[in-house]
């Protein structure tokens, strides 16, 4: 049986299934499968089960965040939805589980429309511009937030 309190959701949004081949100058050449493998392995070291999901749809992201509401937390790369999805923001805001937002690229060094995140103000943390290492930082951050709220 899954211990939800020791489970973290790694959630990737639209176009992140193409990691490895999509715009390597921005996102590098590591595939999503490899990212997931690394985060699952780090979770093992830190004593949590990491479940991985990727969806290209906004509603799919909302549904997965709802389903993870009793988890230790969520590490989420919302992709472009970060910049305009109020539905995703409301989902992040609605759940007790801390959600740490991750962007692989330095969105502030890119087009101006990427400088806004509607989800970041309700996130428990924000990591950007660290490449795929950001996912591992995000996992450490979300577990720290979870420990804080339980203490
Ligand atoms: C991204 C940044 C977003 O602006 C973009 O739409 C993505 C990826 C990142 O990880 O750097 O899809 O979230």
């Amino acid at each position: 049986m899954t211990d939800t309190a020791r489970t973290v959701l790694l959630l990737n949004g639209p176009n992140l299934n193409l990691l490895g081949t999509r715009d390597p100058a921005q996102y590098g050449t590591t595939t999503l499968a490899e990212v997931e493998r690394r985060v699952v392995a780090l979770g093992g070291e830190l004593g949590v089960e990491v479940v991985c999901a990727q969806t290209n749809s906004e509603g799919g992201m909302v549904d997965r965040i709802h389903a993870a509401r009793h988890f230790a937390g969520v590490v989420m790369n919302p992709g472009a939805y970060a910049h305009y999805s109020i539905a995703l923001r409301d989902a992040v805001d609605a759940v007790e589980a801390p959600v740490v937002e991750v962007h692989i690229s330095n969105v502030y060094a890119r087009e101006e429309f990427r400088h806004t995140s509607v989800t970041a103000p309700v996130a428990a943390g924000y990591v950007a511009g660290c490449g795929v290492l950001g996912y591992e930082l995000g996992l450490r951050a979300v577990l720290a937030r979870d420990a804080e709220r339980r203490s």
Side-chain angles (χ1 to χ4, degrees), residues 14 16 22 27 77 79-80 83 103-105 107 110 114:
L16 292 159
R22 173 193 180 199
Y27 304 117
N77 185 342
H83 309 310
H103 295 280
I104 299 164
S105 64
V107 283
R110 302 181 64 191
R114 296 185 204 275

Side-chain angles (χ1 to χ4, degrees), residues 58-120:
E58 186 180 19
M61 293 200 74
V62 169
D63 286 343
R64 284 181 171 87
I65 288 169
H66 290 178
R69 64 188 181 280
H70 300 305
F71 284 13
V74 180
V75 178
M76 169 184 81
N77 185 342
Y81 290 139
H83 309 310
Y84 67 92
S85 173
I86 305 301
L88 189 56
R89 176 201 164 102
D90 285 351
V92 170
D93 201 23
V95 296
E96 313 85 84
V99 179
V100 169
E101 179 167 337
V102 173
H103 295 280
I104 299 164
S105 64
N106 179 357
V107 283
Y108 296 99
R110 302 181 64 191
E111 302 95 324
E112 208 168 320
F113 66 84
R114 296 185 204 275
H115 300 182
T116 300
S117 170
V118 298
T119 43

Side-chain angles (χ1 to χ4, degrees), residues 3-140:
D3 178 1
T4 51
R6 296 305 294 164
T7 305
V8 171
L9 172 65
L10 172 62
L11 178 60
N12 274 283
N15 302 304
L16 292 159
N17 52 311
L18 300 180
L19 272 185
T21 53
R22 173 193 180 199
D23 196 353
Q26 288 296 346
Y27 304 117
T29 54
T30 308
T31 63
L32 181 58
E34 174 61 14
V35 166
E36 291 176 343
R37 193 195 64 71
R38 289 180 193 176
V39 179
V40 167
L42 180 60
E45 285 171 33
L46 300 175
V48 289
E49 183 185 349
V50 177
V51 295
C52 303
Q54 187 276 328
T55 174
N56 291 317
S57 82
E58 186 180 19
M61 293 200 74
V62 169
D63 286 343
R64 284 181 171 87
I65 288 169
H66 290 178
R69 64 188 181 280
H70 300 305
F71 284 13
V74 180
V75 178
M76 169 184 81
N77 185 342
Y81 290 139
H83 309 310
Y84 67 92
S85 173
I86 305 301
L88 189 56
R89 176 201 164 102
D90 285 351
V92 170
D93 201 23
V95 296
E96 313 85 84
V99 179
V100 169
E101 179 167 337
V102 173
H103 295 280
I104 299 164
S105 64
N106 179 357
V107 283
Y108 296 99
R110 302 181 64 191
E111 302 95 324
E112 208 168 320
F113 66 84
R114 296 185 204 275
H115 300 182
T116 300
S117 170
V118 298
T119 43
V122 291
Y126 184 89
V127 182
C130 298
V132 294
L133 175 66
Y135 289 101
E136 290 169 71
L137 301 175
L139 177 61
R140 290 185 185 276

